[in-house]
Amino acid sequence: MSPTTTPASGKDPFKLHPFDLGRAYEKLFERWGPQGWWPADTQTEIIAGALLAQATNWKNAAAAVAGLKTRGVLEDSSESLQGLLELPQEELEELIRPSGYFRQKAGRLRRLTMFLADNLGPPPWKIPGSQVMLWRERLLELNGLGPETVDSILLYGFDLPCFVVDAYTRRLLLRHGMITDQTSYEEIRFMFEDALPRRSEIYNEYHALIVRLGKEHCRRSARCTDCPLFA
Ligand code: SF4
């Protein structure tokens, strides 16, 4: 049975149906165009931002990123990397405090940075496209990195085609009866990757557009009226 949802301004619930993921991308892009993700100056900043955005909103993560930038430790250079790794723990925690869970995140950021430096040298870092799944598995083995964070790092930090699934994506698909509460992260990722050309620029734009959709229309209380996906 298709789920229903009540528009903010109407009395009768709309009946929502599954939609074509490729066509939905076109509709969202036609409405809003390129979203310019990821908003950052360097690869190191993108990677740090993806990690600091865990379990918080972007405003808080951006404040933590800004704190690190004041110390010049998010440049793509050996000196900057060294500076980040040598920051005293307490100072690092204080700088990223706005992002919440700052003690855990400080440890995760240090471990991730050391892992990348040990395996890839100083930034900017590059991972060959042929090794993307291998690297995905290796990053997922690092303590505190879940699939959403790892896919964000690979997609936005390394320009590799890993589709990012977040709470907005899940809510949208649930409302249209395309998944259930039991559908796993990996199943949803495969749905998108099966439906789309395997191109990082499309995954990049699509995820950013879904976030915009989730903020403007597919909110906790859906605003289906005038939504690009309301057919
Ligand atoms: S707001 Fe848009 S995407 Fe969300 S349920 Fe309504 S029509 Fe679908």
Side-chain angles (χ1 to χ4, degrees), residues 5 14 16 19 172 175-176 213 217-219 222-224 227-231:
T5 190
F14 293 134
L16 297 169
F19 56 82
L172 155 71
R175 281 180 169 158
H176 283 264
L213 178 75
H217 290 279
C218 210
R219 301 153 63 111
R223 296 181 176 175
C224 299
C227 170
L229 300 192
F230 182 59

Side-chain angles (χ1 to χ4, degrees), residues 78-227:
S78 305
E79 299 73 27
S80 175
L81 173 71
Q82 202 60 31
L84 181 59
L85 294 176
E86 288 176 356
L87 268 183
Q89 185 70 11
E90 279 184 14
E91 189 179 348
L92 177 58
E93 289 176 5
E94 203 49 45
L95 288 168
I96 66 170
R97 180 186 281 269
S99 70
Y101 302 102
F102 55 92
R103 292 206 174 88
Q104 293 97 317
K105 287 183 181 178
R108 289 172 194 168
L109 182 59
R110 214 183 277 285
R111 277 194 297 279
L112 171 61
T113 311
M114 285 177 69
F115 175 78
L116 293 173
D118 286 348
N119 288 281
L120 298 171
W125 294 302
K126 188 151 179 53
I127 293 174
S130 59
Q131 295 180 13
V132 59
M133 284 302 120
L134 173 70
W135 274 86
R136 188 173 188 272
E137 282 172 28
R138 295 181 74 187
L139 290 170
L140 283 170
E141 284 169 6
L142 293 182
N143 188 16
L145 295 197
E148 183 183 339
T149 305
V150 167
D151 289 334
S152 295
I153 289 169
L154 290 171
L155 178 60
Y156 292 103
F158 286 86
D159 196 24
L160 290 168
C162 292
F163 198 88
V164 178
V165 176
D166 68 352
Y168 291 124
T169 316
R170 186 174 280 281
R171 182 159 71 197
L172 155 71
L173 298 181
L174 265 172
R175 281 180 169 158
H176 283 264
M178 296 163 74
I179 60 169
T180 70
D181 286 328
Q182 276 68 50
T183 309
S184 70
Y185 181 100
E186 292 302 302
E187 287 172 310
I188 298 173
R189 183 170 71 84
F190 287 139
M191 282 172 65
F192 281 91
E193 294 190 1
D194 266 359
L196 301 167
R198 193 165 179 73
R199 285 170 42 198
S200 56
E201 64 270 28
I202 292 178
Y203 293 6
N204 173 328
E205 208 59 72
Y206 204 165
H207 174 64
L209 287 162
I210 288 174
V211 171
R212 181 155 179 182
L213 178 75
K215 288 182 174 168
E216 295 192 15
H217 290 279
C218 210
R219 301 153 63 111
R220 273 203 190 89
S221 172
R223 296 181 176 175
C224 299
T225 308
D226 199 33
C227 170

Side-chain angles (χ1 to χ4, degrees), residues 28-55:
L28 293 171
F29 193 82
E30 277 163 20
R31 173 72 67 93
W32 289 315
Q35 299 299 294
W37 278 38
W38 185 287
D41 297 323
T42 65
Q43 181 190 37
T44 310
E45 184 182 336
I46 294 171
I47 292 169
L51 192 147
L52 294 169
Q54 289 178 323

